[in-house]
Amino acid sequence: MGHHVTTIETRSIHRRKTIDRHGLSLTFFLLLLYCTSARAQVEEQTVGTTTFTVSTSLGFNTFALGDVRDFYSGLLEEFRANNIPIPTQREFPGNLIIGVDILYSIPSIADVGLGSRYTWTRAFSLYKDYSGTLDVNGKVAMLSLEGIIQRDITTEGIVDVYAGLRGGLVLGWSKFSQKSVFYDFPDQNSEILLSGNGKGYSVEGFMGIKRRVGNIAFGVSAGYRYARVSEMDADFSLNGQTQDSGTLLLRHDLSGFTMCVHVDIVLE
């Protein structure tokens, strides 16, 4: 690490474009169509017990992040090309996902409601030698606000089996930092930060099983989430001072597999 190399540059920030929301519009159209047809069916069904359910979830999910991974790997490759063999210690692995849903049961039809989930992932790379240290980190996080519809497939066994669809708005954040420390030249120490936030959409199909004991239900579910944030409002800063602001045209593909454990409280 004999000389200072700057790799996170303002060329990553460009003019803003409109985020594609066609996937989100289609999701809500399908939900509306389903609920409209369900309304016609419910008039012919025997009136059952309506319930509200508060569902908490904790699980694990993966991330695609193709362009984000390429961007982060590109930063490291520039250092390696300048004879700084910085290793990749961690690069956006799967991580925890936590969430809360509120569902309303339409007897003999489906459960509908709203939910929110949060998850994040990180990348770490650290290099040390006689002259100093180089630390390159990345973080991506997402918060979803979604409409939910799910329906029981069977309730005749020990457990209930259900399937459903959830989709809506995704709020995404990302941060890439590069910190350089020089032992003999402390006046050349620097910290570069590129951070951004943006909106996108998500759609997830899932299946699960649950068993109710009194007013408490326990279950597990698995699914696949398609989620994407096409661009972000971003800031580029050096040593804590903002140097430039604009739009980061870096597609954040937050799609991945999900698996959650649920604890539900049923309110009748």
Side-chain angles (χ1 to χ4, degrees):
M1 196 171 121
H3 59 279
H4 178 66
V5 180
T6 300
T7 60
I8 302 179
E9 300 179 354
T10 55
R11 66 172 179 267
S12 299
I13 304 178
H14 303 284
R15 193 179 306 171
R16 184 169 189 171
K17 296 181 180 179
T18 303
I19 296 175
D20 179 12
R21 295 186 175 85
H22 292 302
L24 176 60
S25 301
L26 178 61
T27 301
F28 279 109
F29 174 77
L30 293 174
L31 292 177
L32 179 62
L33 183 63
Y34 186 95
C35 292
T36 301
S37 62
R39 183 180 178 184
Q41 296 178 33
V42 73
E43 297 177 355
E44 301 178 1
Q45 300 289 336
T46 302
V47 176
T49 302
T50 59
T51 61
F52 282 96
T53 300
V54 178
S55 177
T56 60
S57 58
L58 176 64
F60 180 85
N61 67 157
T62 61
F63 304 88
L65 292 177
D67 290 353
V68 173
R69 294 179 191 274
D70 291 343
F71 178 76
Y72 184 78
S73 296
L75 298 178
L76 302 183
E77 287 302 323
E78 289 194 33
F79 286 112
R80 293 164 183 159
N82 286 275
N83 298 318
I84 303 176
I86 182 171
T88 302
Q89 297 165 320
R90 185 175 184 179
E91 188 173 346
F92 305 112
N95 202 6
L96 294 177
I97 183 170
I98 56 178
V100 176
D101 302 332
I102 299 177
L103 301 171
Y104 174 72
S105 175
I106 304 175
S108 303
I109 302 298
D111 296 338
V112 297
L114 297 173
S116 178
R117 287 183 172 181
Y118 176 77
T119 185
W120 72 100
T121 185
R122 294 177 180 269
F124 302 102
S125 296
L126 177 64
Y127 174 77
K128 293 182 179 182
D129 64 14
Y130 67 92
S131 62
T133 64
L134 173 64
D135 196 6
V136 181
N137 296 326
K139 180 181 179 180
V140 175
M142 63 167 280
L143 175 69
S144 63
L145 304 171
E146 302 165 308
I148 307 166
I149 183 167
Q150 65 183 48
R151 183 185 178 99
D152 289 337
I153 297 175
T154 176
T155 59
E156 298 178 356
I158 298 177
V159 297
D160 299 341
V161 180
Y162 63 91
L165 179 72
R166 59 190 300 141
L169 178 69
V170 166
L171 306 177
W173 299 269
S174 68
K175 180 171 67 175
F176 301 92
S177 64
Q178 171 191 319
K179 185 175 181 180
S180 303
V181 175
F182 297 90
Y183 299 144
D184 296 332
F185 305 97
D187 59 319
Q188 296 187 20
N189 294 348
S190 67
E191 184 171 6
I192 301 171
L193 178 65
L194 176 64
S195 60
N197 63 84
K199 300 177 183 178
Y201 55 86
S202 69
V203 180
E204 179 180 344
F206 59 89
M207 290 189 66
I209 59 174
K210 61 183 176 181
R211 177 168 176 78
R212 181 173 171 179
V213 180
N215 288 336
I216 305 295
F218 304 92
V220 295
S221 67
Y224 184 81
R225 175 190 65 236
Y226 177 85
R228 180 169 295 180
V229 177
S230 298
E231 60 184 40
M232 291 188 174
D233 296 329
D235 293 320
F236 174 82
S237 63
L238 174 63
N239 296 330
Q241 300 295 320
T242 300
Q243 304 295 312
D244 198 3
S245 298
T247 298
L248 177 64
L249 298 179
L250 179 64
R251 184 179 63 182
H252 287 59
D253 187 354
L254 302 167
S255 305
F257 291 96
T258 64
M259 180 172 290
C260 293
V261 176
H262 305 274
V263 177
D264 303 345
I265 301 174
V266 182
L267 307 174
E268 295 181 335

